[in-house]
Amino acid sequence: MHQDTRVIHIGEGQVPEADPLTTPIYETTTFRFASAAAVEDYYEGRASSFLYSRYRNPTVLAVEEKLAALDDAETARVFSSGMGAVSSTVMAHVGAGDEVVCAAAIYGGTLHFLQDVLARFGVSVRFAPLEELAEPDQVPGPATKLLWFESPINPTLRCVDIARVASACRRRGVISVVDSTFASPYNQQPLALGADLVMHSATKFLGGHSDVTAGVVAGRRDLVEPIDLTRRLLGTVLDPLPAAQLGRSVKTLGVRMARHNENARRVAEALEADPRVSRVYYPGLESHPDHRIAAAQMRGFGGMVSFDLGGDYQRACRFFDRVRLFQRATSLGGVESLCSLPVATSQRGYTAAQLERAGVTPGMVRLSIGLEDPADLMADLSQALA
Ligand SMILES: *Cc1c(COP(=O)(O)O)cnc(C)c1O
């Protein structure tokens, strides 16, 4: 055959006589069949081979097995982003006439997806304040199909009693979903606490290096399989290359999270002892309103710390502009420490009443504590507070 033909076909798709230690990156969009009979076997479920990477890919499957293991779940799926996981999960399990109940203090993307997108398709959406979730038996109504909440919650790090909400949902036949992004599977196991599904933005601690955008949902097979079908049709699957990066990252989740927890605890304690800071929000501090809930359901208290500079936005801005080691950027969960101002980003555009309900003040600063030496982090915070 000619050069143009040979260069395309030679060297492709062969499985070499090699036994790799790690899963190779299968950068292929499609998979070959040996015969028409093999195609039939695939569609009739007689062979668990691969067809097309939007459906299933060996590299993606390998990281899904790791993610299922991390949450002690029957099965897990990865998505092109945390929002891909949110939208695919909700759309798989609710339809016109159903109601979704969502915690009022929630990630902005989740809020807008439910309120601005889902509500246009005949699904009613109700936002439940934290006080209602503290008495969860009254929360689900007759049409409630699914209840979505987070713990800990951005940026106050308020926590919800997961076991209590999950059991109230179970008694009413409502699917409970926990967005556990801020905790990561190292610090919190929502499925073991009785939740039906757990979701993470893997862009944060799971990816851990601020270089992969991804999401994950884990839980029982009967609840995850409809989400898989929705993922195929919405096209929210993760590509093999970022899946491999994510698989590499999660191997070090334990050592990273132990250090995030320890660094954040030290920063929170130092800030609490600093007279220039009016209030510190960290679930590991006894002064945090949900310390007891967090201590009962978390192994460690996570890498996020928020604090208040007397409710004064100008002071918060001056602090923000002065940090040197902390990077002025949104997002969280990476090796590098980040600093953001909630009223300028995640709670942007909130009215005074909405801010009060969310427990956010204009003087609030949010820190994502990375893996740098804690003495360097504390020195930077101290000089920026000066
Ligand atoms: C970042 C985040 C999301 C959305 O994840 P993306 O990967 O940005 O799509 C959802 N929930 C929480 C709590 C988050 O922090």
Side-chain angles (χ1 to χ4, degrees), residues 114-130:
L114 294 173
Q115 178 181 279
D116 305 341
V117 179
L118 202 68
R120 288 196 274 114
F121 296 89
V123 176
S124 57
V125 180
R126 176 158 55 90
F127 292 96
L130 278 185

Side-chain angles (χ1 to χ4, degrees), residues 104-109 111-112 150 153-157 182 306 313 330 340-352 354-362 364-366:
I106 200 79
Y107 181 70
L111 184 144
H112 287 293
E150 280 168 28
I153 300 166
N154 177 51
T156 54
L157 307 168
F182 271 49
S306 298
Y313 183 60
T330 190
S340 64
L341 299 174
V343 289
T345 52
S346 53
Q347 268 73 30
R348 190 177 187 85
Y350 277 38
T351 63
Q354 285 171 322
L355 283 179
E356 177 154 349
R357 237 175 288 133
V360 175
T361 86
M364 214 157 161
V365 178
R366 186 186 88 173

Side-chain angles (χ1 to χ4, degrees), residues 153-234:
I153 300 166
N154 177 51
T156 54
L157 307 168
R158 293 293 308 265
C159 296
V160 174
D161 186 333
I162 296 172
R164 213 158 158 216
V165 174
S167 85
C169 287
R170 186 143 305 180
R171 280 195 295 280
R172 304 286 289 274
V174 171
I175 300 168
S176 56
V177 192
V178 180
D179 177 342
S180 195
T181 299
F182 271 49
S184 90
Y186 179 85
N187 283 329
Q188 185 166 279
Q189 296 272 291
L191 300 177
L193 294 166
D196 291 314
L197 292 167
V198 58
M199 172 262 154
H200 305 273
S201 166
T203 310
K204 317 294 168 55
F205 290 105
L206 287 167
H209 298 73
S210 310
D211 56 4
V212 176
T213 299
V216 54
V217 171
R220 287 203 319 273
R221 216 172 284 285
D222 63 312
L223 291 174
V224 173
E225 269 162 12
I227 303 171
D228 186 311
L229 296 177
T230 307
R231 182 182 72 172
R232 292 183 186 195
L233 299 174
L234 291 179

Side-chain angles (χ1 to χ4, degrees), residues 50 55 61 64 71 92 137 147 173-176 232 258 272 371:
F50 294 89
Y55 293 15
L61 210 57
E64 288 173 341
D71 270 308
D137 285 325
L147 193 149
V174 171
I175 300 168
S176 56
R232 292 183 186 195
E272 193 166 52
L371 305 186

